[in-house]
Amino acid sequence: PSTNDPPHLQPGSQVEISSNDPGFRGSWYTGVIIKRPSSKKPNKFLVQYTHLFEDEAGTTPLKETIDAVDIRPLAPRESTRKFKFSEEVDAYYNDGWWEGVITKELENGNFHVYFKRSKEQLEFGEEQLRLHREWINGSWTPPLAGDEQVKESDRAVTEAKMKFNKVVTQEKLKRDNAASKKKSKSVLAGSGEKLGSGKITMDKIFCKGAHVEVTSDEDGFEGAWFAGTIVKVVGKDRYLVQYESLRTDDDTDFLKEEFDDLHIRPCPPEIVMADRFQKLDEVDAFYNDGWWVGVISKVLSDSKYEVYFKATKEEMKFEHSELRLHQDWINGKWVAAFQV
């Protein structure tokens, strides 16, 4: 029976479902809304996946109870599209759509796609790609070409807003880095299809005394980079880094942590912004001693902006001086940001 929920949350509706499990962030899987499991959980829905199964034989579709914020309609897709370098896309892999960036157009017509979260690059055909879109306030951003019915949202937030973690704790970073030492290869690399060109040796860049930025995969810290200096190389692709702004618990010295090569990069070169940022520019915002990846959702004045953080579904206000144009470190080169 129909309910008072939005159209895409009605029983029988085909949807896409995201996962917050480690190794699956940034992916969407197709499914069908079955029902609300309980009136006591108004924002929960029972879904049945289209291509994920409970058994190895693939006879019993997987069913899960999912929060409404992790469910959206099927993303629109152009019948024909010419993809280009630096475009943000979804790539179909292992029965799901994974968010990535086109880093190269190959001579055979395929594309190299780089996945920020797993720091990996894979090759895809044009038929395996679609332009990346966000479901914001009941509309797709960017809208499908020719769709004049899509309304523009003033605030890029979702109905089920997640609380933004405003306090960066050193203890949390310690737990994350300890866990990263035991982290196995992501699902994207599981089949052995990782390209040989997806990883290069950085011995000369990541040496003792080098200024770098480091990141964490823990919930609440996605998309954040913290400045530091390499104290020493502790092993193959592992480095001891001293933070520039985070201090030890007793405040006697700057905090030191060990990182692998997936969580470290050189400090990005400065890009001088002669003019103000534009709406939908991808930026890094300086907050709580780190740089957090976001998108300009509203231009408030010549020097003030609202920035939307996709990982936390949160908006915050920043001055022009607190922002920098986002850049990605891909295959030993910096790739400037693009509109999303």
Side-chain angles (χ1 to χ4, degrees):
S2 62
T3 67
N4 294 325
D5 298 306
H8 73 281
L9 294 178
Q10 297 292 334
S13 297
Q14 292 188 331
V15 294
E16 291 183 348
I17 306 131
S18 69
S19 172
N20 290 318
D21 293 337
F24 289 87
R25 295 187 179 97
S27 65
W28 291 87
Y29 291 84
T30 58
V32 177
I33 297 290
I34 303 300
K35 64 177 181 179
R36 283 185 182 276
S38 171
S39 59
K40 298 180 180 179
K41 300 179 179 180
N43 292 321
K44 300 286 186 179
F45 293 84
L46 180 65
V47 301
Q48 178 176 292
Y49 290 93
T50 306
H51 301 295
L52 299 183
F53 300 88
E54 295 182 359
D55 57 332
E56 294 183 1
T59 58
T60 306
L62 177 65
K63 294 181 181 179
E64 284 187 329
T65 299
I66 304 293
D67 196 291
V69 72
D70 295 320
I71 303 173
R72 69 182 189 184
L74 296 179
R77 187 180 182 187
E78 296 89 346
S79 56
T80 58
R81 178 177 180 80
K82 180 62 177 176
F83 295 99
K84 56 181 184 260
F85 171 78
S86 83
E87 206 163 34
E88 193 172 47
V89 296
D90 295 334
Y92 193 76
Y93 185 81
N94 275 358
D95 300 319
W97 291 98
W98 298 75
E99 180 183 346
V101 179
I102 292 179
T103 55
K104 186 177 183 180
E105 183 175 357
L106 305 176
E107 294 181 357
N108 61 4
N110 290 347
F111 300 86
H112 279 177
V113 177
Y114 175 73
F115 301 93
K116 298 180 184 179
R117 289 178 172 84
S118 63
K119 313 294 189 300
E120 293 170 318
Q121 182 172 262
L122 298 173
E123 181 177 333
F124 293 90
E126 195 171 65
E127 71 284 354
Q128 297 171 292
L129 302 176
R130 69 184 185 191
L131 184 67
H132 178 73
R133 290 180 166 87
E134 295 289 339
W135 179 250
I136 300 173
N137 284 357
S139 300
W140 287 106
T141 301
L144 188 65
D147 184 359
E148 299 179 355
Q149 302 299 320
V150 179
K151 60 183 179 180
E152 193 171 76
S153 171
D154 288 333
R155 292 185 59 83
V157 295
T158 62
E159 179 183 354
K161 208 172 188 183
M162 297 176 66
K163 183 179 180 182
F164 188 64
N165 189 340
K166 290 182 171 63
V167 179
V168 178
T169 63
Q170 298 168 3
E171 192 61 35
K172 201 169 184 181
L173 284 173
K174 289 180 180 178
R175 293 198 303 269
D176 176 65
N177 284 297
S180 70
K181 298 177 184 178
K182 302 178 181 179
K183 183 179 178 182
S184 61
K185 294 293 184 181
S186 77
V187 67
L188 286 171
S191 67
E193 294 185 34
K194 184 175 178 181
L195 298 182
S197 61
K199 183 178 179 181
I200 62 177
T201 302
M202 290 290 143
D203 294 342
K204 294 183 179 180
I205 297 178
F206 298 142
C207 58
K208 182 178 179 180
H211 294 286
V212 295
E213 291 185 347
V214 293
T215 188
S216 168
D217 288 332
E218 190 169 340
D219 288 340
F221 293 90
E222 290 182 277
W225 290 87
F226 298 87
T229 302
I230 294 180
V231 177
K232 66 177 180 179
V233 179
V234 296
K236 181 176 175 57
D237 299 328
R238 299 200 68 84
Y239 311 88
L240 181 64
V241 175
Q242 177 174 288
Y243 290 96
E244 291 185 2
S245 56
L246 301 183
R247 300 185 65 83
T248 57
D249 293 336
D250 56 8
D251 199 29
T252 58
D253 196 2
F254 288 102
L255 182 67
K256 295 184 181 71
E257 292 288 347
E258 187 176 318
F259 290 89
D260 59 30
D261 62 340
L262 296 180
H263 298 81
I264 188 172
R265 69 182 188 184
C267 293
E270 182 181 0
I271 298 179
V272 179
M273 292 293 295
D275 300 319
R276 67 182 185 181
F277 292 101
Q278 302 296 318
K279 185 176 181 180
L280 298 185
D281 279 346
E282 191 173 17
V283 296
D284 296 335
F286 193 75
Y287 179 78
N288 272 357
D289 299 320
W291 291 97
W292 300 74
V293 181
V295 178
I296 300 290
S297 58
K298 183 185 291 186
V299 178
L300 301 176
S301 67
D302 288 339
S303 61
K304 201 163 189 175
Y305 310 86
E306 280 190 359
V307 178
Y308 171 67
F309 300 95
K310 181 171 60 176
T312 57
K313 312 295 190 298
E314 179 71 4
E315 270 184 326
M316 294 181 66
K317 295 179 181 179
F318 291 91
E319 298 289 339
H320 186 96
S321 60
E322 298 174 308
L323 302 176
R324 69 184 186 188
L325 191 66
H326 178 70
Q327 301 176 75
D328 285 308
W329 177 248
I330 302 175
N331 288 348
K333 297 180 180 179
W334 286 106
V335 178
F338 43 85
Q339 284 197 332
V340 300

